Amino acid sequence: MLTTKLLFSFAVLVLQVYFASAIDDSHAWGYECINSRCEKIQITPANKETILDLRVCRLYCYDDIGTLWPKPTRNVTFLKSVTGVNPNYIKFTTESFKNNEFFEVAKERFIAMQKNKVKNYTLGGLDLNIAITAENDDMELNYDVYEGYSITIISNTNAIEVMISSKNFFGARHALETLSQVIVYDELNTKLVVLAAANIQDEPKFKHRGISMDTSRNFYPVNIIKKTIDGLAMAKLNSFHWHITDSQAFPMEVKSHPDFTKYGAYSKSKIYTADDIKDVVKFAKSRGVRVIPELDAPAHIGEGWQKKLDLTTCVNYMPYLDYCWQPPCGHMNPIKDELYDVLEDIYREMLESFTPPVFHMGGDEIFFSCWNTSKPLQDWMLNKNLTLDHDGFLELWGYYQTNALKRMDKVGGSKLPIMLWTSELTEEPFASKFLDKDRYVIQIWTTGDDPKIQRVLNSGYKVIISNYDAFYLDCGFGSWAYDGLIWCSPYNEWQKVYDNDLNGMGGERIDQILGGSATIWSESIDEHNLDSKIWPRASALAERLWTNPKEHWRNAEPRFLMHQMYLKSSGGLASEVLQPEWCVHNEGLCQL
Amino acid sequence: MLTTKLLFSFAVLVLQVYFASAIDDSHAWGYECINSRCEKIQITPANKETILDLRVCRLYCYDDIGTLWPKPTRNVTFLKSVTGVNPNYIKFTTESFKNNEFFEVAKERFIAMQKNKVKNYTLGGLDLNIAITAENDDMELNYDVYEGYSITIISNTNAIEVMISSKNFFGARHALETLSQVIVYDELNTKLVVLAAANIQDEPKFKHRGISMDTSRNFYPVNIIKKTIDGLAMAKLNSFHWHITDSQAFPMEVKSHPDFTKYGAYSKSKIYTADDIKDVVKFAKSRGVRVIPELDAPAHIGEGWQKKLDLTTCVNYMPYLDYCWQPPCGHMNPIKDELYDVLEDIYREMLESFTPPVFHMGGDEIFFSCWNTSKPLQDWMLNKNLTLDHDGFLELWGYYQTNALKRMDKVGGSKLPIMLWTSELTEEPFASKFLDKDRYVIQIWTTGDDPKIQRVLNSGYKVIISNYDAFYLDCGFGSWAYDGLIWCSPYNEWQKVYDNDLNGMGGERIDQILGGSATIWSESIDEHNLDSKIWPRASALAERLWTNPKEHWRNAEPRFLMHQMYLKSSGGLASEVLQPEWCVHNEGLCQL
């Protein structure tokens, strides 16, 4: 392993090589690293040779590393200097991923990202040689995957040598992401530069880190979904939970039942075909992101079921609040055997197109009043000695869940962890009766201080945290059915996302928390405002889940501001700006 | 004037011409106008010849007009049918604007907008001939301009004839905006169509309708400003109040003092040159939008004044809350005669580049504690028998305002109305002492129910309403200096903007309300999230100010949803979506 001493032996040389060029006279300000803070300084003839570009100064002017996001969890050693990189000479060497198509994509993406950073290139800089060693090239991104990595950077007179080692593709890919974050464009000297020497060892604290995105209430084109997944990769988020259907629209192609999209898609151009889905899944995997499909059921259905109304209850009933939270209402009718045949068809096709490591079966917001509109259903329940009340309908729901799962298992999903939203079914005694704790993972969407969290953990389930008072990125805006604000207001600012206390929620059962997911419910979000709702707040989530820092958001803020700029400049993401640019230039002076 | 009877005589013919084409089998849904509501209906062989595209149905399926936004204030008569338009044959005839370069721009913009609507054009449709008559071609967009217009559309067998009459360019331009709104793309029949016959007479209720945009805290490229102004034009908003400088950055070129941008711009690429400004002003004028520049003073200065620190007080003082609301602090020092020389230079250049019809002199958030840091200033005040307290500093402020205005008048601004933000200076007895009520217009930024509004009106001033609890479009997000939300939370949803009660604020003095302006303070806004902050809420403001409707937002909602789609499809604006698309397809069913 590279020692700090060895790292420093390269420093003098590198500094000499780097500071050869002069700064264009039109620049008025530069930065100096003074007492571990980048201070804005007027450029003068006297300081012209030593003054730094903002990004360069922020890269290393700290005791811990200045621009990495999320913050590494293990060793970080680095030299406080940079060396120029020639973006046209980036080479990879690896024996580990010889015929791995995903690696080819990751490689090309890395090279393109570096080239995109360069605005006005002054010739020069060294070759960047990246050597990667991995133990295996397994491509299953399940919850057993180890995503850790180590990376070493050494500059010599001829080249910059980067050595990456990891257990698998996913760790190696994260290492490339880290490497990309220590390569910055120096605007003062019009050069691409990299930390001259560094050694970083890193691994995530939580296994599930991502977003839950609803593509039913408003539709997102495939390229927008890909752009979002690209962003996830930049923050080392690894899960894209795709809430692909809901009562308002059914945009997912089901070849065996073409009427779902024919009647349920908003238009013929607003459909995710099986090929689209395969394309997204592949795109995501090459970026270290698992795609978890959700078929929300037995509630949250309506559009698309027009030709199967006999398998449903209360579709389009009004006034809607009597039967569901949002128009149009609709539930599956669990007593219909044909319903499970249809589910089997859908599951079969979803397993084929998504090849998922985890499957989400939904299970939120069941209204017993919706089921209770059906006389045959009532008769069936009474016939089975089920009461037409809370407990009876929960038994019916359990019956549905059991039968739906059987069909999932029948078509090849028997090894998959199954996710469900918290509901009355995930509460005892029903949870233990119907939901195997070794099979089901519960996604918690209550408030962070709700005792329900501890109850679900005590029942033994593994959980994903999506408490709406921190991780719901859609909160805080106008309601769409009345005036005033949406139920989940106010807005969850990035500080709240960052400080969301998973340790407090987990307590002694913290190990059952697989991670967290930030939601994008799309009643008032579409492709036009998506980026600014997700970014940079999903990155605040990313550090919570990768690093689980003990420190308050204030410690992270200067680094977060740089990361937010990186999301824009390198990711092309229309990330929400957090402060006047003045605060970026004047580190720490905007905090109260 | 065209009568309803005459209009209807064209109807049968038009309907026959229009409904010749068949609908592609991949479309599942269309619309029928049933009881003045567009109902979503499955397309069948039986209804294929008569079923309507959503946009077409919404265009005329009402007693009042379905897609115009803002709603016209006078007569509207129209036929419930459409006729096809050939987007390649749009011709203009006018004697009124023969050598008017602004009209040429407006004309080309109109034609381009219609062509842009077409996605997949089926050949056909009639020529669109537009004849315009105006009384004059004056191009001063001051508060005396009458913006009313009338427009008549008649379809005959050969062409669609449109006749526009107005007092001037600005009325005629609004008429083109109205015409554009009744031309929609019919996706079912792949045709561009226009209302077959209509007569509309229209004029605005308020003279000042627009936005106030801060380009200092974060910088916006010129093309983004232009895109925003283009959006204003689409909603018949007529004012772009440009808060161009502030303490955080000075991005406005001042040729006689190049140090303002050299040290005060965020970078050399983040400067508005005089040519940029002239370009924006011309662009805006051709879209019926006046540009009102603001040089905020005597507070809200800092960056850019580095070489003139002797003309300032408290620049960069910390802790900032002792001297100003936001870092960096800084006020002009009113006792310095050289300050007024500098102001004169700035005003001279601003009058030349902006050629403004109104000038905003700022005047918000003066901290007497900032002035009080200067011993020479204290001495000067004591020497003039001014006390170092509230009243004394207000006298000093009045002294500043009087002297600054003299310089404005000296360089040619003596005829211009002068705007100021509400402050202690706009309160009696200081207001009447220092601010001529026939010269000053006061922009009110308190809450809508603050008695201050009535006090300012009682002092006799004309006012612009920008109450922050409805018209501040930047409210409701995370603070940037601490955790928790910004001071002006919660978010002002469109319903609140729409229902903002100007009549209630004005009372008997409603005639003194010139209009309103929605603010874009840019601490947490930049080019990436600008569109979704402004749109469609600025359009809600537009109808409040153009139409001043008596009706509640609920009446406007279906029309507003169509307008929000129009902003996206025809304006390319990333307008915030308000509801699931399902609600657009199922009119009225989402309202509680």
Side-chain angles (χ1 to χ4, degrees):
Chain A
M1 202 51 65
L2 194 76
T3 65
T4 307
K5 198 175 161 188
L6 183 59
L7 283 175
F8 276 91
S9 70
F10 292 102
V12 181
L13 171 69
V14 167
L15 283 167
Q16 284 169 345
V17 170
Y18 181 62
F19 290 108
S21 74
I23 296 170
D24 172 353
D25 277 341
S26 68
H27 291 284
W29 302 102
Y31 293 82
E32 281 182 22
C33 180
I34 300 171
N35 297 328
S36 292
R37 180 177 166 274
C38 290
E39 196 159 320
K40 187 175 155 193
I41 305 277
Q42 195 178 323
I43 299 175
T44 63
N47 67 19
K48 208 165 173 174
E49 299 299 311
T50 54
I51 202 148
L52 300 174
D53 177 274
L54 174 64
R55 283 162 202 77
V56 174
C57 184
R58 291 288 184 98
L59 192 53
Y60 60 68
C61 176
Y62 303 93
D63 295 332
D64 58 3
I65 204 148
T67 49
L68 284 185
W69 192 280
K71 194 172 178 170
T73 53
R74 297 180 59 202
N75 290 341
V76 174
T77 317
F78 61 98
L79 264 192
K80 296 202 170 194
S81 74
V82 293
T83 188
V85 179
N86 186 329
N88 298 314
Y89 290 92
I90 301 176
K91 273 166 276 171
F92 284 82
T93 323
T94 179
E95 293 293 309
S96 311
F97 307 120
K98 272 194 164 165
N99 297 308
N100 187 322
E101 58 178 332
F102 299 100
F103 177 71
E104 288 305 308
V105 174
K107 200 174 90 176
E108 294 307 321
R109 175 174 175 273
F110 176 86
I111 294 170
M113 278 175 78
Q114 308 325 309
K115 288 190 176 169
N116 283 343
K117 289 174 187 174
V118 177
K119 290 175 194 165
N120 182 20
Y121 177 52
T122 301
L123 281 177
L126 301 177
D127 291 13
L128 182 68
N129 299 324
I130 304 169
I132 304 182
T133 316
E135 290 180 19
N136 66 61
D137 75 340
D138 292 353
M139 291 304 298
E140 266 314 298
L141 189 43
N142 56 35
Y143 290 136
D144 296 326
V145 163
Y146 177 72
E147 296 170 274
Y149 66 90
S150 77
I151 180 167
T152 302
I153 305 170
I154 303 178
S155 305
N156 59 41
T157 45
N158 301 316
I160 304 141
E161 305 292 344
V162 177
M163 287 136 288
I164 288 172
S165 77
S166 68
K167 213 153 211 160
N168 52 44
F169 168 80
F170 301 105
R173 202 215 65 83
H174 287 322
L176 289 181
E177 215 61 68
T178 297
L179 179 59
S180 182
Q181 293 191 4
V182 298
I183 298 175
V184 302
Y185 181 67
D186 176 339
E187 287 193 13
L188 288 184
N189 296 291
T190 60
K191 283 183 169 180
L192 193 66
V193 304
V194 63
L195 268 186
N199 177 256
I200 299 165
Q201 292 158 308
D202 194 12
E203 65 181 6
K205 295 285 187 189
F206 291 101
K207 292 169 182 299
H208 182 115
R209 309 177 306 278
I211 63 169
S212 298
M213 185 159 148
D214 157 25
T215 62
S216 165
R217 290 172 176 103
N218 281 298
F219 180 87
Y220 301 85
V222 166
N223 67 317
I224 298 293
I225 291 177
K226 286 183 170 179
K227 186 181 172 199
T228 300
I229 290 172
D230 225 9
L232 299 183
M234 291 177 72
K236 299 191 179 82
L237 290 164
N238 69 358
S239 298
F240 180 73
H241 160 203
W242 194 346
H243 182 90
I244 193 167
T245 64
D246 211 297
S247 62
Q248 285 90 349
F250 197 115
M252 179 180 69
E253 180 186 39
V254 180
K255 286 174 179 168
S256 54
H257 298 271
D259 44 320
F260 277 124
T261 46
K262 173 157 191 190
Y263 298 103
Y266 282 137
S267 76
K268 57 182 175 169
S269 64
K270 294 186 174 176
I271 292 172
Y272 303 110
T273 66
D275 285 343
D276 288 337
I277 291 167
K278 286 176 188 169
D279 183 31
V280 167
V281 168
K282 196 169 163 183
F283 182 95
K285 189 170 272 195
S286 70
R287 284 156 180 80
V289 175
R290 63 173 73 94
V291 177
I292 301 175
E294 175 180 355
L295 184 80
D296 200 356
H300 285 281
I301 63 141
E303 292 293 329
W305 290 77
Q306 276 89 348
K307 301 294 165 186
K308 298 177 168 66
L309 288 179
D310 57 321
L311 305 184
T312 67
T313 60
C314 94
V315 166
N316 286 332
Y317 275 33
M318 287 283 180
Y320 66 81
L321 275 182
D322 289 351
Y323 309 100
C324 68
W325 286 121
Q326 289 184 346
C329 294
H331 285 27
M332 294 173 184
N333 186 340
I335 71 163
K336 298 284 184 165
D337 292 338
E338 305 90 317
L339 170 69
Y340 301 99
D341 297 337
V342 173
L343 285 174
E344 184 181 319
D345 290 337
I346 300 176
Y347 293 153
R348 183 188 302 108
E349 295 194 29
M350 288 179 81
L351 293 190
E352 199 210 322
S353 51
F354 285 97
T355 58
V358 184
F359 195 98
H360 201 309
M361 291 177 78
D364 61 320
E365 300 185 330
I366 278 73
F367 270 51
F368 301 143
S369 57
C370 176
W371 277 337
N372 211 13
T373 57
S374 164
K375 182 71 173 55
L377 184 146
Q378 291 178 340
D379 293 344
W380 184 93
M381 285 179 68
L382 294 171
N383 198 34
K384 300 258 181 202
N385 287 325
L386 296 177
T387 48
L388 300 178
D389 61 8
H390 175 267
D391 283 16
F393 282 112
L394 269 159
E395 291 289 330
L396 178 68
W397 187 353
Y399 170 85
Y400 162 81
Q401 187 58 37
T402 305
N403 281 290
L405 185 67
K406 273 184 195 155
R407 299 304 184 108
M408 170 63 68
D409 292 352
K410 182 179 166 196
V411 295
S414 61
K415 296 261 162 52
L416 296 181
I418 301 294
M419 280 173 73
L420 281 181
W421 294 103
T422 39
S423 70
E424 289 156 289
L425 191 68
T426 64
E427 296 276 331
E428 299 298 357
F430 306 99
S432 290
K433 181 167 181 187
F434 295 112
L435 308 173
D436 176 1
K437 69 181 170 49
D438 296 324
R439 183 80 191 274
Y440 283 92
V441 174
I442 310 301
Q443 184 168 10
I444 292 178
W445 64 286
T446 175
T447 54
D449 61 0
D450 191 331
K452 186 188 285 182
I453 299 177
Q454 207 54 49
R455 289 202 301 271
V456 173
L457 289 169
N458 288 343
S459 293
Y461 296 100
K462 292 202 171 55
V463 304
I464 308 292
I465 299 293
S466 297
N467 55 311
Y468 70 77
D469 53 354
F471 280 177
Y472 267 39
L473 302 185
D474 48 303
C475 291
F477 293 87
S479 165
W480 47 280
Y482 42 89
D483 46 9
L485 297 168
I486 191 174
W487 62 275
C488 66
S489 288
Y491 183 79
N492 292 316
E493 70 275 12
W494 81 268
Q495 295 94 330
K496 219 194 280 184
V497 178
Y498 190 88
D499 284 349
N500 198 29
D501 181 16
L502 300 195
N503 292 339
M505 291 179 211
E508 289 179 2
R509 291 182 174 271
I510 182 78
D511 290 347
Q512 286 168 238
I513 298 182
L514 288 176
S517 194
T519 69
I520 309 293
W521 295 112
S522 297
E523 285 88 350
S524 304
I525 305 183
D526 69 3
E527 60 178 302
H528 297 291
N529 58 357
L530 178 68
D531 279 7
S532 64
K533 304 273 168 156
I534 298 188
W535 308 109
R537 290 184 296 161
S539 290
L541 168 98
E543 183 149 306
R544 171 54 49 208
L545 296 171
W546 181 281
T547 317
N548 201 18
K550 288 188 184 65
E551 298 81 15
H552 187 258
W553 64 268
R554 280 192 192 275
N555 278 46
E557 189 185 65
R559 194 165 38 88
F560 193 53
L561 294 179
M562 297 308 285
H563 175 70
Q564 121 83 3
M565 282 169 61
Y566 178 71
L567 290 170
K568 284 187 203 182
S569 61
S570 292
L573 297 163
S575 174
E576 183 110 331
V577 70
L578 300 169
Q579 300 194 343
E581 187 171 335
W582 191 88
C583 303
V584 179
H585 295 182
N586 294 274
E587 185 184 340
L589 296 190
C590 285
Q591 289 195 357
L592 261 191
Chain B
M1 201 51 63
L2 195 76
T3 65
T4 307
K5 196 174 165 188
L6 183 59
L7 283 174
F8 276 91
S9 69
F10 292 101
V12 181
L13 170 68
V14 167
L15 283 166
Q16 283 167 346
V17 170
Y18 182 62
F19 290 108
S21 73
I23 296 171
D24 172 353
D25 276 343
S26 68
H27 290 283
W29 303 102
Y31 293 82
E32 280 181 23
C33 179
I34 299 170
N35 296 331
S36 292
R37 181 179 166 272
C38 289
E39 195 158 322
K40 187 176 154 192
I41 305 276
Q42 196 179 321
I43 299 174
T44 64
N47 67 18
K48 210 165 172 173
E49 299 299 311
T50 54
I51 201 147
L52 300 175
D53 176 272
L54 174 64
R55 283 161 202 77
V56 175
C57 185
R58 291 288 184 99
L59 193 55
Y60 59 67
C61 176
Y62 302 93
D63 295 330
D64 59 4
I65 204 148
T67 50
L68 283 185
W69 191 280
K71 193 171 179 171
T73 53
R74 297 180 58 202
N75 290 341
V76 175
T77 317
F78 61 99
L79 264 191
K80 295 202 171 197
S81 74
V82 292
T83 187
V85 179
N86 187 328
N88 299 314
Y89 290 92
I90 300 177
K91 274 165 277 172
F92 283 82
T93 323
T94 179
E95 294 293 309
S96 311
F97 308 119
K98 271 195 165 165
N99 296 307
N100 187 323
E101 59 178 332
F102 299 99
F103 178 71
E104 288 305 308
V105 173
K107 199 174 92 176
E108 293 308 321
R109 175 174 174 273
F110 176 86
I111 293 170
M113 278 175 77
Q114 308 325 309
K115 288 189 175 168
N116 283 343
K117 289 174 186 173
V118 177
K119 292 176 192 164
N120 182 18
Y121 176 53
T122 302
L123 282 177
L126 301 178
D127 292 12
L128 183 67
N129 299 324
I130 303 168
I132 304 182
T133 316
E135 290 181 19
N136 65 62
D137 75 340
D138 291 352
M139 290 304 299
E140 267 312 298
L141 190 43
N142 56 35
Y143 290 139
D144 296 327
V145 164
Y146 177 72
E147 296 172 274
Y149 66 89
S150 77
I151 180 169
T152 301
I153 305 170
I154 303 178
S155 306
N156 60 43
T157 45
N158 301 316
I160 303 139
E161 305 291 345
V162 176
M163 288 136 288
I164 288 171
S165 76
S166 68
K167 211 154 212 161
N168 51 45
F169 168 80
F170 301 104
R173 203 215 64 83
H174 288 320
L176 289 181
E177 216 61 70
T178 297
L179 177 60
S180 182
Q181 293 190 5
V182 298
I183 298 175
V184 302
Y185 180 67
D186 176 340
E187 286 192 13
L188 288 183
N189 296 291
T190 60
K191 283 183 174 181
L192 193 66
V193 304
V194 62
L195 268 185
N199 177 258
I200 298 164
Q201 293 158 308
D202 195 13
E203 65 181 4
K205 296 285 187 190
F206 291 101
K207 291 169 184 300
H208 182 114
R209 309 177 305 278
I211 64 170
S212 299
M213 183 159 149
D214 157 24
T215 63
S216 165
R217 288 166 177 111
N218 281 299
F219 180 86
Y220 301 84
V222 166
N223 67 318
I224 299 293
I225 291 178
K226 285 182 172 178
K227 187 183 172 197
T228 299
I229 290 172
D230 226 8
L232 299 183
M234 291 176 70
K236 299 193 179 83
L237 290 164
N238 69 358
S239 298
F240 179 73
H241 160 203
W242 193 348
H243 182 91
I244 193 167
T245 65
D246 211 297
S247 63
Q248 286 90 348
F250 196 115
M252 179 181 69
E253 181 185 37
V254 180
K255 288 175 180 167
S256 53
H257 297 270
D259 45 320
F260 277 123
T261 47
K262 173 157 191 191
Y263 298 103
Y266 282 137
S267 76
K268 57 182 175 170
S269 64
K270 295 186 174 176
I271 292 171
Y272 303 110
T273 65
D275 284 344
D276 288 337
I277 291 167
K278 286 176 190 169
D279 183 31
V280 167
V281 168
K282 196 168 162 182
F283 181 95
K285 190 170 270 193
S286 70
R287 283 153 181 83
V289 175
R290 63 173 73 95
V291 177
I292 300 174
E294 175 181 355
L295 183 80
D296 200 356
H300 285 280
I301 63 144
E303 293 292 330
W305 290 77
Q306 276 89 348
K307 300 296 165 186
K308 297 179 170 68
L309 288 179
D310 57 320
L311 306 183
T312 67
T313 61
C314 94
V315 166
N316 286 331
Y317 275 32
M318 289 279 179
Y320 65 81
L321 276 183
D322 289 351
Y323 309 99
C324 67
W325 285 121
Q326 289 185 346
C329 294
H331 285 26
M332 294 175 185
N333 186 338
I335 71 162
K336 298 282 184 168
D337 292 339
E338 304 91 317
L339 169 70
Y340 302 99
D341 296 338
V342 173
L343 286 174
E344 183 181 318
D345 290 337
I346 300 176
Y347 293 153
R348 183 187 303 107
E349 293 194 29
M350 289 179 80
L351 293 191
E352 198 209 320
S353 52
F354 284 98
T355 57
V358 183
F359 195 98
H360 201 308
M361 291 178 78
D364 62 319
E365 299 186 329
I366 277 73
F367 270 50
F368 301 144
S369 57
C370 177
W371 276 337
N372 210 13
T373 57
S374 164
K375 180 73 171 58
L377 183 145
Q378 290 178 340
D379 292 344
W380 184 93
M381 285 179 67
L382 294 172
N383 197 32
K384 301 257 182 203
N385 288 325
L386 296 177
T387 48
L388 300 178
D389 61 7
H390 175 268
D391 282 15
F393 283 112
L394 269 159
E395 292 289 330
L396 177 68
W397 188 352
Y399 171 85
Y400 163 81
Q401 188 57 38
T402 304
N403 281 289
L405 184 66
K406 273 184 194 154
R407 299 305 184 108
M408 171 62 70
D409 292 351
K410 185 179 163 193
V411 295
S414 61
K415 297 259 163 53
L416 296 181
I418 301 296
M419 281 173 73
L420 281 181
W421 295 102
T422 38
S423 70
E424 289 155 288
L425 191 67
T426 63
E427 296 277 328
E428 299 299 355
F430 306 98
S432 289
K433 182 168 179 186
F434 295 113
L435 309 174
D436 175 1
K437 69 181 172 46
D438 295 324
R439 182 80 191 273
Y440 283 93
V441 173
I442 309 302
Q443 184 168 10
I444 292 177
W445 64 285
T446 177
T447 54
D449 61 0
D450 191 330
K452 186 188 284 182
I453 300 176
Q454 206 55 48
R455 289 202 300 271
V456 172
L457 289 169
N458 287 342
S459 293
Y461 295 101
K462 293 202 168 59
V463 304
I464 308 292
I465 299 293
S466 296
N467 55 312
Y468 72 76
D469 54 353
F471 281 177
Y472 267 40
L473 302 185
D474 49 303
C475 291
F477 295 87
S479 166
W480 49 281
Y482 42 89
D483 45 10
L485 297 169
I486 192 175
W487 63 274
C488 66
S489 287
Y491 183 80
N492 292 316
E493 71 275 13
W494 81 267
Q495 295 94 332
K496 220 195 278 183
V497 177
Y498 190 88
D499 284 348
N500 198 28
D501 181 16
L502 300 195
N503 292 338
M505 292 178 211
E508 289 180 3
R509 290 181 174 272
I510 183 77
D511 289 345
Q512 287 169 237
I513 298 183
L514 287 176
S517 193
T519 70
I520 309 294
W521 295 112
S522 296
E523 284 88 351
S524 304
I525 307 182
D526 68 4
E527 60 179 301
H528 298 290
N529 58 358
L530 178 68
D531 279 8
S532 65
K533 304 274 167 153
I534 298 188
W535 308 108
R537 291 183 294 160
S539 290
L541 168 97
E543 183 148 306
R544 171 53 50 209
L545 296 171
W546 180 281
T547 317
N548 201 18
K550 288 188 185 65
E551 297 82 14
H552 187 258
W553 64 267
R554 280 192 191 277
N555 278 47
E557 189 183 64
R559 193 164 40 86
F560 193 54
L561 293 179
M562 297 309 285
H563 175 70
Q564 121 83 4
M565 284 169 62
Y566 177 71
L567 289 171
K568 285 189 204 180
S569 61
S570 293
L573 296 163
S575 174
E576 183 111 331
V577 69
L578 300 169
Q579 301 195 342
E581 186 170 335
W582 191 89
C583 303
V584 179
H585 295 183
N586 295 273
E587 185 184 341
L589 295 190
C590 285
Q591 288 195 357
L592 262 189

